[in-house]
Amino acid sequence: MKELGLQVSAVTTVSKWNLDVLDELAEILSDSVDSWQIQLASAFGRMKNQKEALLNEEGFKYLCNRVIMYRFLYPEVYTQAA
């Protein structure tokens, strides 16, 4: 899509299940997307009955620091937290 001149975006919903693969995902996306939205999983929909997978305060702080780091490491990707 990028070769055709189209803007490419990715959205990642973060929970305890995928927090440990964000660095790898950031590296992959850095060559593939123009923007990346990183959002927290919340207790709605399918996650309503899986609250143990939601980030706690420590996980949230870790995620915030990662978002800041990704902005510096991959300035060509507009990375935002939602």
Side-chain angles (χ1 to χ4, degrees):
M1 290 175 63
K2 285 185 76 143
E3 290 175 7
L4 295 173
L6 299 172
Q7 294 285 315
V8 178
S9 300
V11 177
T12 302
T13 301
V14 180
S15 69
K16 288 180 181 177
W17 296 331
N18 63 354
L19 188 62
D20 61 338
V21 298
L22 285 180
D23 290 350
E24 182 180 353
L25 183 57
E27 188 174 330
I28 292 167
L29 292 177
S30 69
D31 292 329
S32 306
V33 301
D34 298 293
S35 64
W36 184 22
Q37 178 177 307
I38 302 171
Q39 59 192 31
L40 291 174
S42 55
F44 296 99
R46 291 185 293 176
M47 293 300 285
K48 182 172 62 174
N49 298 320
Q50 300 177 26
K51 293 179 183 172
E52 72 282 353
L54 301 177
L55 295 184
N56 57 20
E57 184 176 343
E58 181 180 315
F60 178 74
K61 288 178 183 179
Y62 176 84
L63 177 60
C64 291
N65 286 324
R66 296 326 261 187
V67 170
I68 293 167
M69 183 185 80
Y70 300 146
R71 288 178 176 173
F72 283 104
L73 287 176
Y74 309 108
E76 66 281 357
V77 176
Y78 176 64
T79 303
Q80 57 185 340

